[in-house]
């Protein structure tokens, strides 16, 4: 992974707010140390960055339609410091619409997002899924997440994990007290999404000091709109024999399962 300069607000000891980002204009932002990634100090964590991109899409293009799927492709290092979020309606419609959004550092795009929103209809009489409910957060012991991963984003989280978790498989809950943007309330779905990319670090299959397994994307599907707060993960991590991997999670809020998340992994042995 190319190294990048640490430009997070707060990295040099200066004060910074209890939020992941500071707004500097209609489309411009500055990352704080709370948004710092886990693989290197000068990057943003995709979890916080993806939440902000979705929040800006919802803020600039409000609708009564529901987020059905949101996917994020990582096109390069998500640099710390100042950046811009661009949003456009790619496919308008009365019942189905597609939004595209990007995070841009000057001329370099680091994240490309596509968001499907669908009209709400009453399907309560046929609702159902094959996903098992999660134990509630208070039924799991605390997890010292920062003992596994470094970075300001991980340090901002409260985590819990079931006792029977094993490498590559486990159930967990996480939450954070910090909003995406200083002085602003998170849109409900974005407030949930801002934690989802942590799945790849919750049920690690191998020691990250020995194996590099960063994800190059994140794709989330919802079967109902989630409630922000605790985010639950029923996670499975798989590595193949030729450098490919996947982290797959059933996602829950405290009311029950809400959808799934998948992350495509580039798996590399350290020192090779």
């Amino acid at each position: 992974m190319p190294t990048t300069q640490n430009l997070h607000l707060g990295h040099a000891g200066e004060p910074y707010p209890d939020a992941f980002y500071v707004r500097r204009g209609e489309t411009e932002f500055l990352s704080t140390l709370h948004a710092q990634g886990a693989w290197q100090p000068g990057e943003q964590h995709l979890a916080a960055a993806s939440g902000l991109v979705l929040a800006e899409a919802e803020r600039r293009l409000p609708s009564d339609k529901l987020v059905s799927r949101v996917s994020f492709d990582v096109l390069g290092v998500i640099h710390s410091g100042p950046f811009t979020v661009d949003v456009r309606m790619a496919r308008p419609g009365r019942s189905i619409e597609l939004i595209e959004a990007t995070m841009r550092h000057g001329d370099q795009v680091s994240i490309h997002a596509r968001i499907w929103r669908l009209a709400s209809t009453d399907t309560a009489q046929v609702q159902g899924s094959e996903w098992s409910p999660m134990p509630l957060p208070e039924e799991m012991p605390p997890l010292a997440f920062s003992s596994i991963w470094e970075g300001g984003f991980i340090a901002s989280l409260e985590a819990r994990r079931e006792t029977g978790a094993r490498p590559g498989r486990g159930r967990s809950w996480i939450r954070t007290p910090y909003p995406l943007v200083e002085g602003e309330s998170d849109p409900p779905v974005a407030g949930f999404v801002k934690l989802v990319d942590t799945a790849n670090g919750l049920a690690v299959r191998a020691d990250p000091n020995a194996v590099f397994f960063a994800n190059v994307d994140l794709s989330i599907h919802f079967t109902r709109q989630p409630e922000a707060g605790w985010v639950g993960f029923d996670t499975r991590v798989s590595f193949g024999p030729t450098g490919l991997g996947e982290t797959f999670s059933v996602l829950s809020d405290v009311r029950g399962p809400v959808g799934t998340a998948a992350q495509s992994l580039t798996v590399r042995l350290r020192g090779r």
Side-chain angles (χ1 to χ4, degrees):
M1 173 184 290
T3 57
T4 184
Q5 186 178 2
N6 188 350
L7 298 175
H8 293 294
L9 181 63
H11 83 279
E14 70 273 21
Y16 60 101
D18 287 337
F20 296 112
Y21 300 101
V22 174
R23 184 180 294 279
R24 304 178 76 191
E26 176 64 16
T27 63
E28 291 80 33
F29 299 87
L30 179 67
S31 67
T32 76
L33 199 58
H34 292 309
Q36 185 182 48
W39 291 106
Q40 61 170 314
E43 67 177 352
Q44 295 182 47
H45 200 291
L46 178 58
S50 61
L52 179 66
V53 170
L54 176 59
E56 284 300 288
E58 296 260 72
R59 183 182 71 84
R60 296 183 211 172
L61 296 172
S63 171
D64 58 0
K65 299 180 183 67
L66 307 178
V67 176
S68 170
R69 191 212 71 181
V70 55
S71 62
F72 304 91
D73 290 313
V74 182
L75 306 183
V77 174
I78 309 171
H79 296 284
S80 58
F83 62 90
T84 300
V85 176
D86 301 311
V87 175
R88 75 178 188 95
M89 180 66 72
R91 191 272 194 194
R94 288 184 296 177
S95 59
I96 298 172
E97 62 189 20
L98 176 65
I99 299 168
E100 292 188 332
T102 59
M103 178 178 285
R104 177 170 51 83
H105 315 265
D107 294 331
Q108 181 180 351
V109 173
S110 61
I111 299 173
H112 181 215
R114 291 166 64 87
I115 303 150
W116 283 104
R117 297 196 300 199
L118 312 181
S120 175
T121 61
D122 185 0
T123 54
Q125 66 181 14
V126 295
Q127 69 176 323
S129 77
E130 300 303 318
W131 302 321
S132 300
M134 291 266 293
L136 292 174
E138 57 266 27
E139 297 172 5
M140 294 185 184
L143 169 66
F145 210 5
S146 289
S147 68
I148 306 171
W149 296 99
E150 298 180 348
F153 181 78
I154 297 300
S156 78
L157 305 177
E158 177 185 357
R160 294 177 175 270
R161 187 169 67 188
E162 67 178 350
T163 304
R166 63 180 186 272
R169 181 75 176 92
R171 294 188 293 182
S172 313
W173 290 93
I174 62 170
R175 67 178 175 180
T176 181
Y178 302 140
L180 285 162
V181 180
E182 179 188 22
E184 300 182 18
S185 298
D186 295 344
V189 180
F192 186 92
V193 167
K194 73 181 182 185
L195 297 172
V196 171
D197 188 67
T198 56
N200 191 36
L202 283 168
V204 294
R205 174 162 289 280
D207 181 354
N209 293 310
V211 182
F212 178 81
F213 50 93
N215 53 301
V216 300
D217 75 342
L218 170 65
S219 184
I220 304 167
H221 289 82
F222 289 113
T223 56
R224 68 170 171 84
Q225 300 299 268
E227 295 181 0
W230 283 106
V231 177
F233 300 81
D234 186 347
T235 300
R236 296 163 173 81
V237 180
S238 302
F239 295 165
T242 56
L244 306 182
E246 183 197 35
T247 296
F248 177 83
S249 302
V250 175
L251 303 173
S252 295
D253 61 15
V254 293
R255 292 172 49 208
V258 299
T260 62
Q263 297 157 291
S264 179
L265 312 181
T266 174
V267 183
R268 310 172 200 172
L269 300 184
R270 296 283 194 178
R272 294 191 182 182

